[in-house]
Amino acid sequence: MVGIGAINFGYAIGVFNSLQVEFVRVFEFKSVEEADHAKTFMTTISSIGMAIGALSSGPLTRFGKKNCIHMTNGLVILACGIQLIKVYGVVLAGRFLFGLAGGAFSVFVPSFINEVTPTELKGPFGSAT
């Protein structure tokens, strides 16, 4: 469960790279320049979401790190569902939420691992994330 959260951060960064050709085909942009801007914004919005998610999720740990991981998994499911709707603005919103979840995972997962790991294993398990 926890390892999937750590993988989500890297997946959120790289997933769109292989889908760019299909993205341009589905949304039928009028020009190459418009398609390039849309691809750039689609990639950037996820990174912005990650930054906001990482910077704002620290105070949420008072609800328990495991509970936060479960809530963030729910956010991932919601974001993935939203991205299935073939409306450009809605896909952007889904990518942003996916980024928020990735950023939150980057806070919750290492602290949860640090909390549950025996002292002698904290180094190897902490560096795994």
Side-chain angles (χ1 to χ4, degrees):
M1 170 184 82
V2 176
I4 300 287
I7 290 170
N8 185 42
F9 185 80
Y11 180 76
I13 292 172
V15 69
F16 187 66
N17 293 336
S18 62
L19 299 173
Q20 289 184 5
V21 173
E22 189 66 21
F23 173 75
V24 171
R25 188 190 64 76
V26 167
F27 288 104
E28 301 173 349
F29 295 104
K30 294 178 179 127
S31 67
V32 174
E33 185 177 280
E34 184 182 4
D36 288 342
H37 287 291
K39 289 188 291 189
T40 301
F41 197 60
M42 189 66 70
T43 303
T44 306
I45 196 75
S46 182
S47 298
I48 291 170
M50 283 185 217
I52 293 170
L55 293 172
S56 64
S57 61
L60 296 175
T61 58
R62 70 174 183 258
F63 298 113
K65 293 168 187 78
K66 186 176 180 181
N67 291 333
C68 289
I69 290 171
H70 287 307
M71 288 187 299
T72 307
N73 281 327
L75 185 61
V76 167
I77 292 169
L78 176 68
C80 289
I82 287 174
Q83 291 179 68
L84 294 174
I85 301 170
K86 292 183 181 178
V87 176
Y88 179 70
V90 176
V91 174
L92 281 176
R95 289 280 297 166
F96 180 75
L97 289 176
F98 199 74
L100 278 177
F105 275 132
S106 71
V107 173
F108 300 143
V109 170
S111 59
F112 180 75
I113 288 174
N114 189 38
E115 191 174 279
V116 299
T117 307
T119 305
E120 61 274 2
L121 296 174
K122 284 188 185 207
F125 278 94
S127 65
T129 59

